[in-house]
Amino acid sequence: MLFPASGTGSSLPRHEQAPAHGDRPIPRSRPAPPVREPAVPARYVQASIDDLGTPLAGTTFVVVDLETTGGSPKDSAITEIGAVKVRGGEVLGEFQTLVDPGCEVPPYISVLTGITTAMVATAPRIGAVLPAFLEFARGAVLVAHNAPFDLGFLRAACEQTGTAWPAAASVDTAVLARRLLSRDEVPNCKLATLAPYFSATTSPCHRALDDARATVDVLHGLFERLGPLGVTSLEELHGLTRQVDPVRRTKRHLADGVPSGPGVYVFRGPRDEPLYVGTSNDLRTRVRSYFSSGEQRSRMTEMVALAQRIEAVSCAHDLEAAVRELRLIAEHKPRYNRRSRFPERALWLRLTDEHFPRLSTVRRVRPGAGVFLGPFADRRAADMATAAIHEALPLRQCTTRLSPRVPTSTCALFGMGRCGAPCAGHQSVEEYARIAAVLRAAVDGDPTALVQPLLGRVDRLSAEHRFEDAGVLRDRVAVLVRAVRRRQRLQSLAAVPELAIARPDGEGGWALSIVRRGRLVAAGCAPRGTSVRDTLAGLRATAETTPDDDGELAATVDETELVMRWMEKPGTRLVEVTGTLACVAPGTGGLSGFLARVEAGRALRDPFADGRQLGTRSRPERVTGGSPAVGGGGVPPLASPT
C-alpha cells in the first residue's frame, strides 16, 4: 500500500483510517509530518510489513486476572480465574471460574476477596480448568495488571499439571501506565487508582472477572495516550513498556537508509572510525533494534551515543555477510566488538623440525616448519594439550637445540622416566623419531596410539578413587582430541583448490558460494528460473584470486570454519569440486563417544560452583607491626580490644 510522505491524517484512504469504538477509539496510524515547502508535491513511498508491524486495532487481547491463596506460586494456589477477550475495542467473550486450590483458603484472603473454602470445595481443580482457559486465550496477547504475578501463577500451574505453556506475547498495564502517566495525574499505578481515573464501568473489588473488566477499561484508556506518541503496532507497544535511553531514542533516524536483506552494518563514530561491526539476515530490523528497548547492553548504549552514521553493506546471503563481518573486524578492530578482533593471536602447538623435535607454542603457521596442531583460543587450552601429549609421549621438554654428536647432562625428567634423555646420548635420532612419529600420525590421521594410553590411565585413576586426578587428565585429553579434530577438518578444506556449493534460498532459487582453499572468493544468488551453472560461471570470472600455496589455508581459521558450517547445513548441494574433498580416516570419529561423555559431564556440574583457580603471589607483602606495608595489599590489622 502507498502512504503519503506528507499531509495530515485525513489524507489516508478511508480503509486505512482506524475506526472509533465507543468513546475510546483504538489509536490511529501516526500521520506523517507536514511539508515545510508547500510547493513540493506529496511523495508516495512503499511501506513494508516491517514498518507497519502488527496493528493494535487488529490484535486480539485477553485480559486476565487471578485470585489466589497467597503471594507466591511456590506455596499458594489459584482460587479464581477471570478473563475478557477484546479486539478493536469490542468485547468478544468472557471467561470465569472458581478453582479448588486443594487446601483451605486463609481467613485474611477470604476477608480480602470474599472467596471462602466452602465456595471452592465443589469447584474444578486447576488441571481441569487450564485447558479451557488456554483454548480461550489461544492466539491472543495476554494482558494483566502486574503481569508477573498472574502469568507466574499460570506458568507454575502448567508445570505442575504437565501442560505446555503457549509462547504468547504479554502486556503489563501497570508498567504501561508508569510510562504514559505522570505523578501529577495519578499518585500511583494501582488498579484501584487507575480504574476511576479512566472512568471504568466496573470497579475492581478483588474478584477475578470484575478486576479483568476494569483492566480492560484501563487498557483502552492507556491506548488513547499512544496516538500522540506514534505507537500504532504491537512491537512498538512492547518497546514502550521498557525503559529506553533518551540519547539512543533520538538517534533512531540513523537507521532510515538501511536496506532490508542480509548484510553487514558498521556503526561509525565522530571521526568516521568503526565503532561496531555486526551482521544480520535482515539489516533494517536488526539496526533499528539498537534504538529500542530490546537492546539492554550498557556498552551498546554507550556505542550508540557515540555513533554518527551507520554504513550498511548488502550481501548475497548469510555466509557472505558473516565472512565480511569477520574480515572487517579483523581489519579495523572496532573497540565495541569483543570477538574475532585479533585472529592473529590464536595459538598453535608446533612439533619443531630438528634432530630431536620438541613442542613449541607459536602464533603463526609456517609451511614446511614442522607439524602444527590447533588452533587454541588461549594459553590455558594450549598448555592442557601440551600436558596431555607429554603424559603420553616422552618428548623432551627442554628448549635448547640438541646435537646428536655433542652430549650434555640430563635433567630430572630422565630420572622420572618422562624423557629418554637424547641430550646425553641415551636415545638415538631414529629411536626418538619413532616417538615423534606417533604425534605426527595423530595430527595427520589416526590419534589412537596417542590417546588410548591416556584414556586407560583415566580409567585406572577412577578405579583407584582418584577422581580429581582422573578429571584433570580427562579434560586435557578432551582438549587434545578437539584440537586434532579441528586441525583435520581445516586441512580437508585447505587441500581443495576450488569448491562450488549451493543452498536453497527459500524462494525456489539457490544461494551460491565459491571457495578456494577455505576462503570465500565469490558469492551470489541464482533466482528461481535461472541457470545455476551460468551464474557460477559469472561468479568464477570475477572471483578473488588466492596465493598458490597448495595444502595451506588461504583464509583465517574462523572464516574457514564458517564455510564448513555452511556446507554442513541440511540441504546444501556440492555443485563442482576441483581436487579431492575428503576427511582423513580413521580420524577422530572413534573418539566421538568420549567427547560426548565429557560434554554430558560438564552439563551436570554445579552451575553455581566457583571454578576459578586460586592465584599465588610471587612476592607477598611484608607485614610489620600488625599493618601492611605502604602500597601493599596485605591483610589489615586486627582491631584492638576496647
Side-chain angles (χ1 to χ4, degrees):
M1 66 187 70
L2 295 178
F3 278 27
S6 60
T8 62
S10 60
S11 62
L12 291 174
R14 180 176 298 273
H15 66 278
E16 291 298 331
Q17 297 183 14
H21 300 273
D23 55 354
R24 289 185 176 85
I26 296 298
R28 303 193 312 174
S29 299
R30 177 176 56 178
V35 179
R36 295 182 179 179
E37 299 179 3
V40 179
R43 294 184 298 106
Y44 289 86
V45 295
Q46 180 69 39
S48 66
I49 297 299
D50 293 334
D51 294 333
L52 296 177
T54 306
L56 294 176
T59 303
T60 302
F61 298 94
V62 170
V63 182
V64 61
D65 187 83
L66 304 180
E67 300 301 331
T68 64
T69 60
S72 173
K74 294 182 179 180
D75 53 10
S76 304
I78 300 173
T79 58
E80 186 179 25
I81 300 178
V84 181
K85 182 184 294 186
V86 294
R87 182 174 63 240
E90 179 182 356
V91 176
L92 303 181
E94 294 182 341
F95 181 95
Q96 188 275 334
T97 180
L98 292 171
V99 181
D100 182 7
C103 60
E104 293 187 359
V105 179
Y108 70 93
I109 295 294
S110 298
V111 173
L112 180 66
T113 64
I115 300 176
T116 62
T117 304
M119 292 175 59
V120 298
T122 58
R125 297 297 297 270
I126 188 64
V129 173
L130 270 179
F133 170 75
L134 295 179
E135 180 64 27
F136 176 78
R138 175 183 294 181
V141 177
L142 296 178
V143 181
H145 198 78
N146 191 15
F149 175 86
D150 299 281
L151 301 187
F153 267 93
L154 290 173
R155 287 194 184 94
C158 287
E159 292 179 2
Q160 295 171 4
T161 59
T163 306
W165 175 256
S170 62
V171 175
D172 192 339
T173 52
V175 176
L176 189 60
R178 295 188 188 102
R179 298 289 182 265
L180 297 176
L181 302 177
S182 64
R183 289 189 177 273
D184 295 335
E185 295 175 293
V186 290
N188 55 64
C189 292
K190 297 180 180 179
L191 183 60
T193 304
L194 297 177
Y197 178 78
F198 288 112
S199 303
T201 56
T202 304
S203 299
C205 58
H206 292 291
R207 290 301 299 268
L209 185 57
D210 288 341
D211 288 3
R213 289 170 176 169
T215 306
V216 169
D217 292 334
V218 171
L219 178 67
H220 289 162
L222 293 172
F223 277 0
E224 292 181 359
R225 300 295 188 95
L226 300 179
L229 299 178
V231 178
T232 61
S233 66
L234 183 62
E235 291 75 12
E236 293 174 323
L237 179 63
H238 285 154
L240 185 66
T241 57
R242 289 175 291 188
Q243 189 66 38
V244 182
D245 185 76
V247 177
R248 183 168 43 171
R249 180 177 293 173
T250 58
K251 292 197 172 185
R252 189 175 181 180
H253 66 279
L254 297 178
D256 290 345
V258 177
S260 299
V264 181
Y265 56 90
V266 182
F267 282 82
R268 293 191 174 271
R271 297 182 300 276
D272 209 42
E273 74 279 12
L275 298 175
Y276 183 79
V277 179
T279 182
S280 175
N281 286 331
D282 189 342
L283 284 173
R284 181 172 178 82
T285 302
R286 182 67 185 99
V287 171
R288 292 177 66 184
S289 68
Y290 284 92
F291 307 100
S292 67
S293 58
E295 181 56 72
Q296 297 293 321
R297 292 173 292 180
S298 58
R299 65 187 183 91
M300 290 294 102
T301 301
E302 179 183 344
M303 183 273 296
V304 172
L306 294 174
Q308 298 298 316
R309 71 181 183 94
I310 299 175
E311 179 182 349
V313 181
S314 297
C315 299
H317 47 69
D318 56 343
L319 176 60
E320 183 188 8
V323 168
R324 285 185 179 272
E325 178 193 28
L326 280 178
R327 294 178 184 176
L328 287 172
I329 293 175
E331 178 183 359
H332 299 289
K333 297 177 172 47
R335 57 185 294 190
Y336 290 97
N337 281 98
R338 290 183 176 177
R339 296 183 179 179
S340 306
R341 290 179 61 191
F342 303 100
E344 65 276 5
R345 294 183 180 178
L347 298 175
W348 299 76
L349 288 185
R350 175 196 173 202
L351 184 64
T352 58
D353 188 14
E354 52 184 317
H355 291 294
F356 301 106
R358 61 181 179 85
L359 288 179
S360 174
T361 304
V362 297
R363 294 193 181 275
R364 293 182 57 190
V365 176
R366 294 182 298 164
V371 177
F372 290 86
L373 176 62
F376 298 93
D378 50 34
R379 176 71 64 173
R380 179 174 178 270
D383 291 343
M384 292 178 68
T386 302
I389 295 174
H390 285 151
E391 289 277 352
L393 300 175
L395 293 174
R396 69 183 185 96
Q397 301 182 32
C398 52
T399 59
T400 57
R401 192 172 186 88
L402 302 182
S403 172
R405 294 184 298 271
V406 181
T408 59
S409 59
T410 62
C411 63
L413 291 177
F414 174 68
M416 298 167 58
R418 302 287 298 274
C419 179
C423 54
H426 295 286
Q427 231 174 2
S428 66
V429 175
E430 292 76 15
E431 292 173 343
Y432 193 90
R434 286 194 291 269
I435 297 175
V438 177
L439 179 58
R440 290 192 176 94
V443 175
D444 294 336
D446 187 4
T448 303
L450 177 66
V451 175
Q452 284 301 331
L454 297 175
L455 296 181
R457 186 178 178 188
V458 171
D459 294 337
R460 290 194 300 272
L461 291 173
S462 299
E464 297 171 2
H465 301 284
R466 297 169 59 183
F467 299 114
E468 292 185 359
D469 294 337
V472 171
L473 182 57
R474 177 205 59 199
D475 292 341
R476 290 176 178 175
V477 176
V479 171
L480 175 61
V481 173
R482 292 193 195 99
V484 172
R485 170 173 292 184
R486 191 179 187 188
R487 177 59 177 167
Q488 291 178 356
R489 282 167 52 85
L490 294 172
Q491 194 63 33
S492 66
L493 203 56
V496 181
E498 185 173 292
L499 179 69
I501 48 182
R503 279 188 50 77
D505 62 359
E507 299 178 357
W510 294 91
L512 306 175
S513 298
I514 297 180
V515 180
R516 293 175 180 168
R517 297 203 321 277
R519 183 179 182 87
L520 180 68
V521 296
C525 292
R528 182 177 183 179
T530 60
S531 172
V532 173
R533 298 287 182 179
D534 293 344
T535 305
L536 281 176
L539 292 176
R540 189 176 291 107
T542 58
E544 177 185 353
T545 58
T546 57
D548 295 331
D549 295 332
D550 293 338
E552 297 297 329
L553 286 175
T556 62
V557 171
D558 292 339
E559 178 176 337
T560 304
E561 290 183 331
L562 276 177
V563 172
M564 298 187 71
R565 287 195 292 268
W566 202 73
M567 291 173 53
E568 294 169 350
K569 288 182 179 180
T572 303
R573 303 289 183 87
L574 190 60
V575 183
E576 296 176 356
V577 179
T578 301
T580 302
L581 177 63
C583 297
V584 296
T588 58
L591 299 170
S592 299
F594 164 72
L595 293 178
R597 292 192 297 272
V598 173
E599 293 298 331
R602 287 184 175 182
L604 297 177
R605 292 178 181 176
D606 184 5
F608 301 103
D610 189 354
R612 295 173 297 178
Q613 296 182 348
L614 295 177
T616 57
R617 297 175 183 266
S618 58
R619 298 183 62 183
E621 293 83 356
R622 177 175 297 177
V623 180
T624 58
S627 61
V630 177
V635 180
L638 297 175
S640 57
T642 57

